[in-house]
Amino acid sequence: MYKFDTCEYCGEQFAKNDDIVVCPDCGSPYHRKCWQEHGACAHEAEHAAGFVYGAQSAASQAPAAEEDFVGQIRRQIAQGAQHEQAQPGEKRQYCENCGAKLIEGDEYCVYCAHRQGDPVRSNNNRRFAQQDPLGGLAPEEEIGGQKAADVALVVRNNSAKWMPRLKATDRAKVKIGWSWPAFLFGYLYFFFRKMYKYGLIIILAQVLLFNVLNFALGDPVLKTNQVLAAQYNTVVKTEAPTREDYYKVVEATAQEMNESGVTRQLYILLAANVISVHLICALLFNTLYLRHCTNTIERMKRSEEILGGMSKSEYRLNLLARGGISIFGIFIGYFAKMAVEEVVSFLISFFGA
């Protein structure tokens, strides 16, 4: 009967030979050990309103698509829910909605923002079932001088994998690791993780290194521009240049650059610039990300001291808002790179004139 259903407490799908009991009031199914451990139905507060398992309306089960992660928490807190107050005698270990392991018995789930005790939005949505946002660390355990529970809120996305990595980075004597995303995407990955300050530093370093290498290799960029200008002038001087004339210019330019060795210099310049910077990004990303997380928490604590009277729910909500990832940050990084390149080129041409 409950073959494809899930336990309303632990979130695990029932196996064939599981010992299943149901709530006598609403019919919600549980593992017998879960029922005995908690001693009451997860929907006990809804029994008075006539709650029946499996009869929830589709509207109550479907998550609000127009609300983001933080928006759901804001809405729930605005409705008067007290994040720091636990129900008397209630110690839930896993989220009723998504099955993720709760941090410090939080009333709200870090993964799906569901308030424990509210109607479950989707009994079959177990995408994060049995995941631990802390990656096996204790909530009070310190990483970089901050509580692991706070660091997990700043990491937010994929924290189950990131937390052990950050802990290992914090313990290591030599703060060098490896990050494939940082190696492949460089400064863009820093902006993606909201590390804007470090992203700008990397952009500036990459642009400056490009110009230093260009000078050391005999300025192949200037040589390329000179060859292009010379070939282009030969076409402009003709009375009616055709498309074939421009094709000839391209071929002549490529041939002249190959014969003079400029093309080889350009390849060396681009490869050395990209590989060296991306290699440094990959080696230092874990350390810089740990520093980013701890600095974010420190700033939040200072804000709490200045503002005063900040509740635990507001404190954690602000950490969630400041942490996580940002797709929009990738575009910020891309346009920031273009802006820095233009500024540096202008300064070089201005002082070199």
Side-chain angles (χ1 to χ4, degrees):
M1 180 178 179
Y2 296 102
K3 181 178 179 181
F4 299 104
D5 288 356
T6 53
C7 176
E8 289 294 280
Y9 274 118
C10 69
E12 293 183 356
Q13 191 175 44
F14 293 121
K16 182 177 180 181
N17 297 321
D18 280 350
D19 188 5
I20 302 173
V21 297
V22 298
C23 172
D25 295 315
C26 68
S28 298
Y30 302 92
H31 292 107
R32 183 177 294 278
K33 62 178 181 179
C34 293
W35 177 266
Q36 292 174 346
E37 178 181 350
H38 296 280
C41 179
H43 306 287
E44 186 174 6
E46 306 158 55
H47 290 168
F51 173 86
V52 177
Y53 177 75
Q56 303 97 312
S57 65
S60 65
Q61 293 184 20
E66 69 277 7
E67 291 183 330
D68 59 6
F69 186 91
V70 176
Q72 294 175 10
I73 300 179
R74 289 187 184 277
R75 175 175 54 82
Q76 292 165 344
I77 291 178
Q79 292 174 347
Q82 296 300 319
H83 183 84
E84 58 270 25
Q85 294 180 357
Q87 298 296 327
E90 188 175 38
K91 294 182 179 180
R92 291 189 176 91
Q93 296 180 345
Y94 298 95
C95 174
E96 299 168 346
N97 181 65
C98 71
K101 190 172 182 180
L102 301 177
I103 297 177
E104 298 177 319
D106 279 346
E107 188 177 358
Y108 289 94
C109 175
V110 173
Y111 278 104
C112 69
H114 175 73
R115 186 171 77 91
Q116 308 308 298
D118 282 353
V120 178
R121 293 191 295 250
S122 176
N123 289 322
N124 296 321
N125 182 18
R126 304 295 175 182
R127 180 182 175 186
F128 302 111
Q130 307 304 315
Q131 287 194 12
D132 180 3
L134 296 179
L137 303 180
E140 300 298 323
E141 190 172 349
E142 288 194 354
I143 301 180
Q146 303 296 339
K147 294 181 180 179
D150 290 344
V151 176
L153 290 173
V154 179
V155 175
R156 187 170 145 184
N157 297 80
N158 206 18
S159 64
K161 293 183 179 180
W162 267 108
M163 294 300 292
R165 192 181 307 173
L166 294 179
K167 182 64 177 181
T169 301
D170 185 40
R171 288 176 175 174
K173 294 181 179 180
V174 180
K175 306 296 184 180
I176 294 179
W178 184 261
S179 172
W180 278 109
F183 178 73
L184 296 174
F185 302 105
Y187 71 93
L188 290 177
Y189 190 59
F190 284 78
F191 279 86
F192 177 69
R193 278 284 174 180
K194 296 186 178 181
M195 301 166 65
Y196 304 120
K197 179 180 70 174
Y198 296 117
L200 287 173
I201 292 174
I202 292 169
I203 289 175
L204 183 61
Q206 188 166 3
V207 172
L208 292 177
L209 178 62
F210 178 86
N211 287 279
V212 170
L213 291 174
N214 180 55
F215 177 78
L217 290 171
D219 206 347
V221 174
L222 177 61
K223 293 178 182 178
T224 301
N225 292 335
Q226 290 174 344
V227 173
L228 287 171
Q231 295 293 338
Y232 181 75
N233 288 334
T234 60
V235 176
V236 173
K237 291 179 181 179
T238 61
E239 295 183 357
T242 62
R243 181 177 299 178
E244 287 71 17
D245 293 329
Y246 285 101
Y247 288 154
K248 292 179 181 178
V249 168
V250 174
E251 294 176 0
T253 301
Q255 182 177 357
E256 183 175 346
M257 289 176 62
N258 286 328
E259 292 175 353
S260 62
V262 176
T263 300
R264 179 173 174 272
Q265 289 178 325
L266 282 175
Y267 286 152
I268 294 175
L269 170 63
L270 294 173
N273 178 256
V274 172
I275 293 177
S276 58
V277 173
H278 283 224
L279 184 63
I280 293 174
C281 289
L283 293 173
L284 297 181
F285 182 84
N286 292 345
T287 299
L288 295 178
Y289 190 43
L290 174 59
R291 183 177 299 178
H292 163 74
C293 293
T294 55
N295 289 344
T296 300
I297 297 171
E298 282 294 335
R299 289 194 299 269
M300 192 65 249
K301 288 181 177 179
R302 288 197 295 269
S303 300
E304 183 182 15
E305 293 176 359
I306 295 173
L307 297 175
M310 185 181 295
S311 66
K312 183 179 177 181
S313 61
E314 292 172 334
Y315 173 79
R316 292 170 69 80
L317 175 62
N318 277 279
L319 284 181
L320 283 169
R322 296 186 183 191
I325 60 177
S326 173
I327 301 297
F328 186 66
I330 297 176
F331 297 96
I332 295 177
Y334 177 76
F335 289 110
K337 173 77 177 302
M338 294 176 60
V340 171
E341 288 176 339
E342 290 296 327
V343 171
V344 172
S345 298
F346 171 78
L347 292 176
I348 292 175
S349 62
F350 179 78
F351 289 104

